Amino acid sequence: MALRYIRKIGDPVLYKKAKYVEKIDDHILMILDDMAETMYSADGVGLAANQIGILRKLVVIDVGDGLIELINPEIILEEGEQIGQEGCLSVPNVTAEVKRPKKIKVKYQDRNGDIKEIEGEDFLARALSHEIDHLNGVLFIDKAIRIINEDEEEKLEAE
């Protein structure tokens, strides 16, 4: 496993659509392992392959319940809405309020190629939506209701 460089806002790869993973081989599994290591090292809760410069439909997420690996994720259901604060490893030192679905269902392949579904609510729904947006070349600030400056963030954290 290896730490990968996380691409930052302005890098053209972040605005491109990722491609379907046709074959899950050792190379794809190595990328997933590297993504997880990179995400944990950067104290993130999610990472899409675009963020490390690889245009493949790969996502890793850990909202505190263990690592979730998604190959070729596809949103098949969205319900309700929630508005909450988000940040992103590719957009350092910026937080924003973003509207996301309250509940989401995603179809994906696991590292064995098996087709699975995952349902997420609240924070997991937000993370799934955020990372799948990356695969479509969309950053959270593109959907921001408002950007939260550092002074506001300090006040919110103090409350």
Side-chain angles (χ1 to χ4, degrees):
M1 292 198 305
L3 290 178
R4 302 284 187 117
Y5 173 75
I6 298 173
R7 306 296 179 99
K8 303 295 188 269
I9 188 168
D11 190 315
V13 76
L14 294 173
Y15 306 97
K16 294 182 179 175
K17 288 190 175 194
K19 295 179 179 132
Y20 188 85
V21 175
E22 298 290 341
K23 182 180 177 195
I24 301 169
D25 56 16
D26 288 343
H27 180 69
I28 293 296
L29 299 180
M30 179 193 69
I31 293 168
L32 283 171
D33 291 341
D34 289 354
M35 287 172 62
E37 184 176 356
T38 302
M39 175 188 70
Y40 288 128
S41 176
D43 289 326
V45 297
L47 192 69
N50 304 47
Q51 293 179 271
I52 60 166
I54 297 171
L55 288 174
R56 292 289 176 266
K57 290 189 173 191
L58 301 169
V59 166
V60 293
I61 292 173
D62 189 342
V63 295
D65 300 322
L67 182 64
I68 301 167
E69 297 174 324
L70 304 156
I71 301 169
N72 299 320
E74 174 188 344
I75 296 171
I76 56 174
L77 175 76
E78 292 181 346
E79 288 182 0
E81 67 179 47
Q82 60 174 314
I83 295 174
Q85 268 188 266
E86 291 185 22
C88 180
L89 296 173
S90 291
V91 188
N93 306 314
V94 175
T95 34
E97 285 184 349
V98 181
K99 185 177 4 177
R100 298 278 184 194
K102 177 123 176 91
K103 185 176 180 180
I104 193 170
K105 186 187 283 188
V106 175
K107 183 171 86 173
Y108 68 99
Q109 289 174 276
D110 66 12
R111 62 174 35 230
N112 299 315
D114 296 327
I115 294 174
K116 305 250 175 133
E117 288 183 2
I118 184 170
E119 288 187 33
E121 289 191 52
D122 302 319
F123 189 42
L124 180 55
R126 177 172 298 285
L128 287 163
S129 181
H130 178 115
E131 297 309 329
I132 292 170
D133 272 355
H134 272 298
L135 298 180
N136 292 311
V138 177
L139 298 176
F140 81 108
I141 55 172
D142 299 329
K143 292 187 163 187
I145 294 169
R146 83 182 171 99
I147 305 294
I148 299 168
N149 66 39
E150 287 182 36
D151 293 338
E152 285 180 287
E153 192 170 1
E154 287 172 15
K155 280 184 199 171
L156 288 170
E157 287 174 0
E159 290 176 359

